[in-house]
Amino acid sequence: MTSERPDFGPRPHRDSVAAALAELDGLVIETEPAKVKKRSRDFHWFSPVLKARLDEVTADAVVAPADEAEVRRVLAACFNHDVPVTVRGGGTGNYGQAMPLRGGIVLDTGYLNALVDVRQGWVRAQAGCMMGVLDARLRERGQSLRFHPSTVDTATIGGFVAGGSGGVGSITWGSLRDTGAVRALRVVTVEETPRTLELRGSHARLAMHGFGTAGVITEVELPTAPLTRWLERVVGFRQFARAVAFADALAHEDAILKRLVSVVAAPAAARYLFPHGIDESTHAVLVMVAETADEALDELVAAHGGSAVAAAGSPLYEYAWNHTTLHALKHDRAWTYLQVGYPQPGTVERVVRMAEAFGPDEVIPHIEFLRMRGVTAASGLPLVRFTSEARLAEIIAAHETAGCPVFNPHVFTLEEMGRKHVDKRLVAFKQEVDPKNLLNPGKMLSFERPELVQDQPTAFGFRSQ
Ligand code: FAD
């Protein structure tokens, strides 16, 4: 890694943008540079590396279509004048996903926010629907989203499917990678006359976690879960290994319905999350289980020598997943984070070994338990004190040498991050839906550099089939 600003590729000529916008008379358009730049950001700044590289990135205009017909008009205009178009939902993505490297138009999905259909067991909504709003509508009908990111109140369902992976609820329901996690996507192509495709079942994977490079998603259909009343607890431990062992045991208890099992090591738990509830030597396990599992939880806590902690803060999930990093950053901008897998067998041992490999001044463990294709797994979002890119690379290498793969959140292309499997089938789909490579160009390298096309899917990655 170097701190040089990369060459992102050519921006459209000013006249091309003007010509495209001229075809969009009647649509909501923003061209004031400061406002456009604001809508060209996401949470890339969680990474000091990306902050240095992407901070100047901005679009030429933001267009907010009111319905799918207007989406088609935007995409046809961009096609006609070779103008890049980057879709934006809530703009909460972490890796510069929604940042228009080559300028052009940001397509804001904010007005595409209708609930399309709700049935027993599934829901269909427009892509710009906020996940919190969607969940509230489901609650009225005795249902809920199966899982959602900790940004549920500020992120859209389309942005989650196109850029996210899992989160709150993944301990029971798995993540977006899993077969059946998404029932269908409705996608619009970027062509002279844009088409609308219904991608059902595994076909939906073609447009998932692709950072909006393979079609503009206008509707998302998801299975739902029955509504459950959740109990929130923070459990404190003196030893990190005991905190992880408790979390692992709870994560494996099939009869306890769970929504969140997260471990945040000392001193971060007290210093950044619950300053009034615990002291700096406490390792915290953040737990959400069904209210009816209260006694079972108490028994498990007692058996592992934990103690309930009076930690203010609800909803508790706003202290977990990447919200843990956000709270740390609010106190100290020197922190950043990694995304780590801890494969089976020996997950707990690997987690503890990696914690011991670094001091808490440099790496503070943060583990999220989830279900992954039938097994209970642990993924890490450790806090990492950033000193230099070289040291960050060493920390990443140490994890990988120990058999813990890192999904690097300090890069912005699909291929470098390694979470999306960009194979021949996906590149062929991209050719079909976006032949001019106008959708978020610069994020899917393989389309421009066929030598990068992958043959083997990665163990933790999103497959295309
Ligand atoms: P955006 O940031 O707007 O977009 C994300 C990507 O999807 C971009 O590449 C964009 O171009 C593309 N896109 C958006 N809408 C569409 C569309 N309609 N069609 C095609 N492409 C589209 N992520 C998780 O998975 N789990 C977590 O628990 C989690 N926690 C987080 C906590 C914090 C504090 C932060 C800052 C981020 C977290 N994230 C998490 C990342 C992010 O919040 C989620 O992935 C979120 O779902 C993204 O939704 P969004 O609407 O903000 O998407």
Side-chain angles (χ1 to χ4, degrees), residues 41-43 46 86-99 109 112 127-128 130-131 148-151 154-168 176 207 210-213 215-218 320-324 326 381 419 440 443:
R41 307 316 36 224
D42 62 8
F43 281 71
F46 270 36
T86 300
V87 188
R88 178 187 178 85
T92 68
N94 286 116
Y95 332 115
Q97 290 165 311
M99 295 180 70
T109 61
L112 300 169
M130 287 289 166
M131 296 187 82
H148 58 70
S150 58
T151 46
T154 46
T156 62
I157 189 63
F160 184 46
V161 166
S165 55
V168 185
L176 287 171
F211 301 177
T213 56
V216 174
I217 302 166
T218 52
W321 291 90
N322 230 350
H323 266 79
T324 310
L326 181 63
L381 295 162
R419 218 176 207 169
N440 209 352
K443 302 290 170 60

Side-chain angles (χ1 to χ4, degrees), residues 67 82 97-98 155 175 198 209 211 268 318 328 332 354 363 375 434 457:
D67 53 30
D82 296 331
Q97 290 165 311
S175 65
E198 174 84 359
H209 204 79
F211 301 177
E318 286 191 354
D332 184 345
M354 290 322 299
V363 179
V375 292
D434 179 23

Side-chain angles (χ1 to χ4, degrees), residues 208-263:
M208 284 169 63
H209 204 79
F211 301 177
T213 56
V216 174
I217 302 166
T218 52
E219 290 182 11
V220 179
E221 191 177 304
L222 296 170
T224 57
L227 187 62
T228 302
R229 289 170 66 93
W230 300 103
L231 174 80
E232 299 186 344
R233 285 274 168 79
V234 179
V235 186
F237 290 86
R238 291 280 152 216
Q239 290 169 343
F240 178 66
R242 296 196 78 154
V244 180
F246 162 73
D248 183 62
L250 173 60
H252 280 85
E253 287 297 349
D254 289 340
I256 298 180
L257 188 57
K258 298 165 288 284
R259 197 172 180 214
L260 188 72
V261 182
S262 321
V263 184

Side-chain angles (χ1 to χ4, degrees), residues 15-177:
D15 295 347
S16 306
V17 178
L21 294 178
E23 287 187 18
L24 299 175
D25 192 33
L27 272 69
V28 176
I29 295 174
E30 179 61 65
T31 53
E32 209 266 291
K35 288 184 181 164
V36 172
K37 190 166 183 191
K38 207 168 161 205
R39 307 298 286 163
S40 302
R41 307 316 36 224
D42 62 8
F43 281 71
H44 71 293
W45 55 268
F46 270 36
S47 159
V49 179
L50 293 184
K51 183 163 168 42
R53 289 190 185 158
L54 303 183
D55 239 23
E56 297 307 313
V57 166
T58 188
D60 296 281
V62 180
V63 181
D67 53 30
E68 196 179 270
E70 289 194 355
V71 171
R72 279 198 292 271
R73 276 184 66 194
V74 175
L75 299 180
C78 287
F79 183 88
N80 289 342
H81 301 283
D82 296 331
V83 173
V85 54
T86 300
V87 188
R88 178 187 178 85
T92 68
N94 286 116
Y95 332 115
Q97 290 165 311
M99 295 180 70
L101 300 180
R102 296 183 192 166
I105 284 176
V106 161
L107 189 159
D108 186 329
T109 61
Y111 295 124
L112 300 169
N113 56 13
L115 187 65
V116 178
D117 199 0
V118 195
R119 301 290 173 90
Q120 191 57 42
W122 61 267
V123 64
R124 189 171 175 111
Q126 283 188 320
C129 190
M130 287 289 166
M131 296 187 82
V133 172
L134 184 56
D135 205 38
R137 299 289 297 275
L138 283 168
R139 239 177 284 141
E140 291 163 7
R141 294 163 165 87
Q143 303 185 59
S144 70
L145 292 170
R146 285 179 164 184
F147 56 88
H148 58 70
S150 58
T151 46
V152 63
D153 285 328
T154 46
T156 62
I157 189 63
F160 184 46
V161 166
S165 55
V168 185
S170 288
I171 181 59
T172 293
W173 291 104
S175 65
L176 287 171
R177 292 176 209 93

Side-chain angles (χ1 to χ4, degrees), residues 276-294:
H276 306 300
I278 52 180
D279 63 56
E280 288 210 351
S281 59
T282 301
H283 307 277
V285 183
L286 285 58
V287 173
M288 290 179 77
V289 295
E291 276 186 359
T292 48
D294 53 344

